[in-house]
Amino acid sequence: MKRVTALVLCSTLLAACSTVTVNPSGTQKRADDPTWSDRKDYFFWGLAGEETIDLQRVCDTRGVAQTQAQTTFVDGLLGGLTLGIWAPRHARVWCK
């Protein structure tokens, strides 16, 4: 039981959040709800796995206002608990 508690504690401490935001127009970062959001699965600490988002399908003729890739606390925790074998991330798109 002590080993399980230690593993959970270490995983919690090692779980980190990160966000990469791309705003093509150079305006201020949007904080409203995204037009599209989905969890993407990666493996081996994010070294394996590739995801492509069809921005034309998501935004149609409106154009893209902002894209974002984010590792939430829960994503980091899940990656830590699986020892990096599974490393989920979230992708978000805002349309104009």
Side-chain angles (χ1 to χ4, degrees):
M1 184 64 174
K2 289 182 182 181
R3 288 184 183 182
V4 172
T5 304
L7 179 63
V8 170
L9 180 62
C10 287
S11 296
T12 302
L13 294 174
L14 294 174
C17 303
S18 67
T19 303
V20 176
T21 303
V22 177
N23 190 328
S25 62
T27 58
Q28 189 173 11
K29 181 178 168 181
R30 292 180 62 169
D32 56 333
D33 290 333
T35 307
W36 180 88
S37 179
D38 194 17
R39 187 189 76 211
K40 301 296 182 183
D41 298 320
Y42 296 90
F43 303 93
F44 304 110
W45 306 276
L47 298 174
E50 183 175 322
E51 296 287 342
T52 302
I53 301 167
D54 186 355
L55 297 175
Q56 189 170 9
R57 182 187 58 80
V58 172
C59 292
D60 199 28
T61 59
R62 296 176 288 173
V64 177
Q66 177 176 289
T67 61
Q68 187 178 76
Q70 183 178 41
T71 302
T72 64
F73 175 78
V74 173
D75 294 339
L77 183 62
L78 291 171
L81 288 173
T82 62
L83 303 176
I85 294 172
W86 178 50
R89 294 191 182 120
H90 280 79
R92 294 180 178 91
V93 177
W94 286 262
C95 299
K96 293 181 181 176

